[in-house]
Amino acid sequence: MPKTATSFSCTECGWATSKWVGRCAECGEWNTVVEAAAPTGALRALNPVAIGDARRARPISEVEADAASHWPSGIAEFDRVLGGGIVPGAAILLSGEPGVGKSTLLLEVASKAAAAYERVLYVSAEESASQVRLRAERTGALNDNLYLAAETDLGAIVGQLDAVKPGLVIVDSVQTVSSAQVGGLAGGPAQVREVAVTLIRVAKERNVPVLLVGHVTKDGNVAGPRLLEHLVDVVCQFEGDRQTPLRFVRALKNRFGPTDEVGCFEMTVDGIAEVPDPSGLFLSRSVLPVSGTCVTIAMEGRRPLPVEVQALVVPNEGSNPRRITSGVDSARVAMLIAVLDRRYKLEELRKSDVYVSTVGGVRVTEPAADLAIALAIASAVTGGTVANETAAFGEISLAGDIRPAPAARQRASEARRLGFTTLIDADALHVSFAVPRALHFDEKGGGPTGVPPF
């Protein structure tokens, strides 16, 4: 008999140690280090297994790919994120904060797929069947090919798969399903791993796609073991602020498509609706130009979005002026204020409260929005206005230079499509950042002059 040595390993990340500790030194999780006995003697040689003709390795060019092609889910924005649709046998994980609309979106996907293709099994492990039925009736997702089951046991879910034989399976959520073969409470690392491994194995064997709903932690990461993200084929994140109806779905991992696509949705009374052109959500409706506003073209993945930045400058007699931001990076706004003060001599900013916000609740953190933020602040200080037909994007350095923004051609093309006739970027301004004075703001609402059109 080979000698065995007792070792301990983390169930989250696999970190190994010779003695038990309460906290994993690799991932920092508590109570995840368990005992694991491993043989330390010589391992016996493995006997080769006979491989039949069906399983024999072939050149990759001879492997048929028709069975793994995308099929549309019926929701174009969701298909955009997935890379064209759902791949048979794929395991897709959709994560998001509670109440953001994950169940509503997947119920809509289930309804569309049931109407266009074949049977769909929706397993609700958090709500009763009647509760899901009420939501489906409200959102218009009722269909005879949509089968609903309220199960929390993994064995019962596999039994439902054998009985219904669906073409698509949705499990809401993976943290609330438990297996009798593994100890611990539902949602624990061992339970989540066992449930995910079993469902993914069933999906691969039967060539049936499985959509899993995952909870997130306070930090916004997927709850449960990190191994869960490595097991699935696609990881999508559902983002959105509860104060606004806008929702974004972005792919964090995708084995069948790009990870830089973003899908836009809007929560309505009747459920969730696609927003194929969200340009109007981030622009104000004022006809005449207003001081302190400027439009930039932000990039959400590979999608350009026009975003209006608004600034308000109020004199403050105190010693500590405030810098309040909403939708933009506060540290970057503070840097731009310092550049305006030092390079442009806007000394009024030293004794003024500065408020910077975006329209529609969208968050813009990329450096390409620096130029629009600086123009909005400078416009609020001088009282001039930027014309409604003007868009600006570019990064501003501490030296006052304007650096080109990535995907400048795509941003300019989108601005032209939306009706913006004047573009302010690094190519239009080959000077240091004396932008507000060089543009000659027109206090009558004429906008900046001296800027070449497209």
Side-chain angles (χ1 to χ4, degrees):
M1 294 295 293
K3 295 182 179 180
T4 58
T6 302
S7 62
F8 299 85
S9 62
C10 177
T11 58
E12 288 281 338
C13 61
W15 175 74
T17 179
S18 59
K19 60 181 181 179
W20 182 87
V21 292
R23 184 179 184 183
C24 176
E26 182 69 21
C27 61
E29 295 293 333
W30 288 93
N31 300 325
T32 58
V33 179
V34 297
E35 181 179 352
T40 59
L43 297 177
R44 296 181 179 179
L46 295 177
N47 295 324
V49 179
I51 303 298
D53 294 338
R55 298 176 55 189
R56 185 168 298 168
R58 294 178 295 170
I60 190 172
S61 58
E62 298 180 4
V63 177
E64 298 179 359
D66 295 338
S69 60
H70 297 81
W71 53 268
S73 65
I75 300 180
E77 290 297 304
F78 192 55
D79 293 338
R80 176 201 294 268
V81 179
L82 297 179
I86 300 176
V87 176
I92 303 172
L93 176 64
L94 180 64
S95 64
E97 296 182 355
V100 73
K102 303 183 298 297
S103 301
T104 304
L105 174 62
L106 292 184
L107 188 59
E108 186 71 17
V109 171
S111 175
K112 297 286 186 181
Y117 300 100
E118 47 190 338
R119 294 180 178 180
V120 177
L121 176 61
Y122 189 100
V123 180
S124 176
E126 297 183 355
E127 300 176 279
S128 64
S130 59
Q131 291 175 338
V132 179
R133 167 65 164 76
L134 289 176
R135 186 169 70 249
E137 185 176 0
R138 177 176 59 87
T139 59
L142 295 179
N143 192 284
D144 292 338
N145 282 335
L146 176 56
Y147 287 74
L148 180 62
E151 300 286 353
T152 58
D153 182 70
L154 180 61
I157 294 177
V158 176
Q160 294 284 356
L161 291 174
D162 296 334
V164 179
K165 294 180 174 55
L168 174 65
V169 180
I170 299 176
V171 179
D172 184 10
S173 67
V174 68
Q175 277 90 4
T176 54
V177 179
S178 60
S179 173
Q181 306 298 325
V182 180
L185 299 175
Q191 285 285 355
V192 172
R193 182 185 300 105
E194 177 67 18
V195 171
V197 169
T198 302
L199 292 177
I200 293 173
R201 185 179 68 251
V202 171
K204 302 299 183 183
E205 292 176 352
R206 307 185 183 186
N207 203 30
V208 176
V210 175
L211 277 71
L212 306 175
V213 177
H215 296 165
V216 297
T217 61
K218 295 181 179 179
D219 299 331
N221 300 320
V222 180
R226 192 71 178 181
L227 182 64
L228 179 61
E229 299 183 30
H230 297 283
L231 291 174
V232 298
D233 300 310
V234 182
V235 179
C236 296
Q237 185 174 1
F238 206 5
E239 303 174 352
D241 189 358
R242 294 186 179 183
Q243 308 300 326
T244 60
L246 187 65
R247 300 290 186 270
F248 289 109
V249 177
R250 64 181 76 246
L252 304 181
K253 171 188 174 182
N254 192 352
R255 292 174 178 170
F256 313 114
T259 58
D260 53 359
E261 285 287 1
V262 177
C264 295
F265 299 88
E266 185 178 9
M267 293 296 295
T268 63
V269 179
D270 298 329
I272 191 166
E274 300 180 69
V275 185
D277 187 8
S279 58
L281 299 177
F282 313 124
L283 300 176
S284 63
R285 299 297 188 266
S286 59
V287 179
L288 298 177
V290 181
S291 62
T293 62
C294 185
V295 176
T296 186
I297 306 298
M299 295 297 296
E300 281 288 343
R302 292 191 297 177
R303 166 179 288 185
L305 297 176
V307 178
E308 181 174 329
V309 181
Q310 297 182 346
L312 180 63
V313 179
V314 180
N316 185 353
E317 301 297 336
S319 57
N320 296 321
R322 293 183 295 177
R323 309 289 188 249
I324 309 298
T325 61
S326 176
V328 293
D329 188 6
S330 58
R332 200 145 193 95
V333 171
M335 184 200 74
L336 294 176
I337 294 175
V339 172
L340 289 173
D341 183 8
R342 182 67 175 177
R343 303 296 178 182
Y344 180 56
K345 309 301 181 183
L346 283 178
E347 300 179 355
E348 299 93 329
L349 295 175
R350 301 179 183 178
K351 299 182 179 180
S352 301
D353 296 335
V354 180
Y355 303 87
V356 180
S357 177
T358 58
V359 174
V362 64
R363 181 164 182 80
V364 180
T365 58
E366 59 174 347
D370 289 352
L371 185 55
I373 296 175
L375 285 174
I377 296 175
S379 172
V381 173
T382 60
T385 58
V386 179
N388 291 337
E389 299 79 13
T390 301
F393 56 85
E395 179 183 359
I396 298 177
S397 65
L398 293 177
D401 299 328
I402 301 177
R403 300 174 180 174
R409 186 182 300 273
Q410 189 175 0
R411 297 174 195 261
S413 177
E414 181 68 12
R416 186 186 303 111
R417 186 186 71 85
L418 296 175
F420 294 95
T421 58
T422 305
L423 177 66
I424 307 176
D425 61 352
D427 295 333
L429 299 172
H430 301 283
V431 293
S432 298
F433 188 65
V435 176
R437 195 176 301 279
L439 291 180
H440 303 295
F441 284 97
D442 186 0
E443 296 185 359
K444 296 181 180 180
T449 59
V451 180
F454 285 109

